[in-house]
Amino acid sequence: HLYLDANKLTSLDSEIFEYLPKLSKLSLANNELRIEKNTFIYLSRLKSLRISKNKLSQFDLKLFSHLVGLEELYLSQNEI
């Protein structure tokens, strides 16, 4: 599990997850993130993703297409 909540993050480069292919739970809640196209490309085993309370203004399923094992997605309190 990796919790990066409330760190004032504004963006994430996909390479930061390159060496975490077995990561199953990621929480990025309460930041200022805008998610880019390939942010989660290395996280195919991720089961739970929390990106609540960020700056997301639109929801595009393509952003999550690499997350084939995803079971839980938390998007509440965004600008969607």
Side-chain angles (χ1 to χ4, degrees):
H1 305 307
L2 179 59
Y3 299 94
L4 296 172
D5 300 345
N7 281 291
K8 298 183 181 180
L9 300 173
T10 58
S11 65
L12 295 171
D13 193 336
S14 62
E15 279 99 27
I16 68 168
F17 300 120
E18 184 174 2
Y19 299 103
L20 299 171
K22 295 181 181 179
L23 187 66
S24 65
K25 188 171 188 174
L26 176 60
S27 185
L28 298 165
N30 200 18
N31 282 291
E32 299 173 7
L33 286 173
R34 297 191 186 277
I35 305 298
E36 299 297 326
K37 181 180 173 184
N38 291 320
T39 300
F40 305 117
I41 195 167
Y42 297 107
L43 298 177
S44 61
R45 294 187 186 177
L46 198 67
K47 293 184 179 188
S48 178
L49 176 60
R50 292 181 182 268
I51 46 178
S52 303
K53 298 182 182 179
N54 276 283
K55 300 281 184 182
L56 303 180
S57 59
Q58 49 187 323
F59 181 78
D60 185 352
L61 285 175
K62 293 176 187 173
L63 296 174
F64 309 103
S65 63
H66 303 290
L67 303 176
V68 295
L70 192 65
E71 297 172 2
E72 300 174 334
L73 177 60
Y74 299 91
L75 293 167
S76 66
Q77 297 182 26
N78 277 291
E79 300 170 5
I80 299 173

